[in-house]
Amino acid sequence: MKKEDLRIVFMGTPEFAVETLRRLVENRYNVVAVVTQPDKPVGRHQSELQPSQVKQYAQSVDLPVLQPVKMKDADFIERLRAFEADVFVVVAFRMLPEVVWAMPRFGTFNVHAALLPQYRGAAPINWAVINGERQTGVTTFFLDHDIDTGRIIMQLPFDIHDDYNVEDVYDGLMHLGADIATQTLDLLIANDGQLSTMPQEEMIPTDALLHPAPKLFKDNCRIMWQQSAKQVYDFVRGLSPYPGAWTMLRTPDNKETMLKIYKTAKTNRSASDATGTIVEEKGHIYINCSDLQLELVELQMSGKKRMTARDFLNGFHDLNVATLL
């Protein structure tokens, strides 16, 4: 089979998916159509519609774009089938019904930003960093009835350095995801659509702990100062810059203000007081965790701009008598 003979429909929505679509187009893979989310209402009155980043790129290279509200809509299914795709490539999209993923003759494969079967779910990049992993990666696998459980085609690893935040890992995996998508397509082309795959169950060691990657909400982004300094350090960088780890600052007069914490630094200073208590010393802010003190480096008070700890101290006095909750 030649590259131009393989008809591809690409499915994705955010920036993370654009890099893969761009790589397919620029390397002359035969992308016949793109499926993405409907335009999103934005603005103060939700009166403007903003197209997804995938749609914006697809239109810039004159690719047909489908934007179904419901994936089982009969008109959408008919239009999708008319493209006679051999394979669907999915990157950062939504759950697909069987009537969609089973449509192409070579199946539908997904690029997942983790080394499956670890970190199945909506936020694999964040949770890998939060859990202090030293390595993650990308996986291609064929879709089936359950989320992120299909037969694995390929995996590529990515090292997580100790000072990386989630944005660093996101950027690395975005480009690695494009690599693995093209490599998977090249395998399909070289083998006339017949690929050797492995069930995820066979990749799980006996008694292994599988880490989930659930969607992030405000409640599970709150810092728990009762943890070790290393755990809090990883938690902050796993949520920075988005959605952001947060805590509550309580002043001696019992007023509470939300703080987002974007960057911390590890120290060798032993905890000197109850967890969450603050030590201000020579222009630095230290927080007592369960074992050591952690230094705050970048933060943002509710309603204010993001700033360094030193700038924060210029406008906030008597921090030594405040507490983080």
Side-chain angles (χ1 to χ4, degrees), residues 10 12-15 17-18 21 34-40 49-67:
F10 181 87
T13 295
E15 175 196 25
V18 173
L21 178 57
V34 169
V35 181
T36 190
Q37 295 278 43
D39 294 357
K40 184 178 180 181
L49 291 177
Q50 179 174 292
S52 73
Q53 288 161 301
V54 161
K55 179 181 178 180
Q56 293 176 52
Y57 177 76
Q59 290 182 324
S60 75
V61 292
D62 297 320
L63 288 173
V65 176
L66 304 181
Q67 296 178 273

Side-chain angles (χ1 to χ4, degrees), residues 13-129:
T13 295
E15 175 196 25
F16 190 89
V18 173
E19 181 60 28
T20 299
L21 178 57
R22 179 185 293 110
R23 191 81 62 86
L24 299 186
V25 171
E26 292 179 353
N27 286 277
R28 301 186 181 279
Y29 290 88
N30 187 17
V31 181
V32 297
V34 169
V35 181
T36 190
Q37 295 278 43
D39 294 357
K40 184 178 180 181
V42 295
R44 184 176 180 182
H45 301 291
Q46 301 284 286
S47 57
E48 300 177 22
L49 291 177
Q50 179 174 292
S52 73
Q53 288 161 301
V54 161
K55 179 181 178 180
Q56 293 176 52
Y57 177 76
Q59 290 182 324
S60 75
V61 292
D62 297 320
L63 288 173
V65 176
L66 304 181
Q67 296 178 273
V69 175
K70 296 182 179 179
M71 298 300 293
K72 292 183 179 181
D73 178 77
D75 179 63
F76 164 68
I77 296 297
E78 183 179 351
R79 294 175 64 198
L80 183 62
R81 199 182 303 276
F83 286 105
E84 299 182 336
D86 298 303
V87 64
F88 294 163
V89 177
V90 181
V91 183
F93 193 47
R94 57 197 286 189
M95 188 172 179
L96 302 181
E98 183 175 2
V99 67
V100 174
W101 58 256
M103 187 183 298
R105 62 175 179 146
F106 294 148
T108 299
F109 74 80
N110 185 85
V111 175
H112 187 74
L115 297 176
L116 291 172
Q118 293 290 356
Y119 297 104
R120 295 167 174 163
I125 304 176
N126 300 90
W127 286 105
V129 181

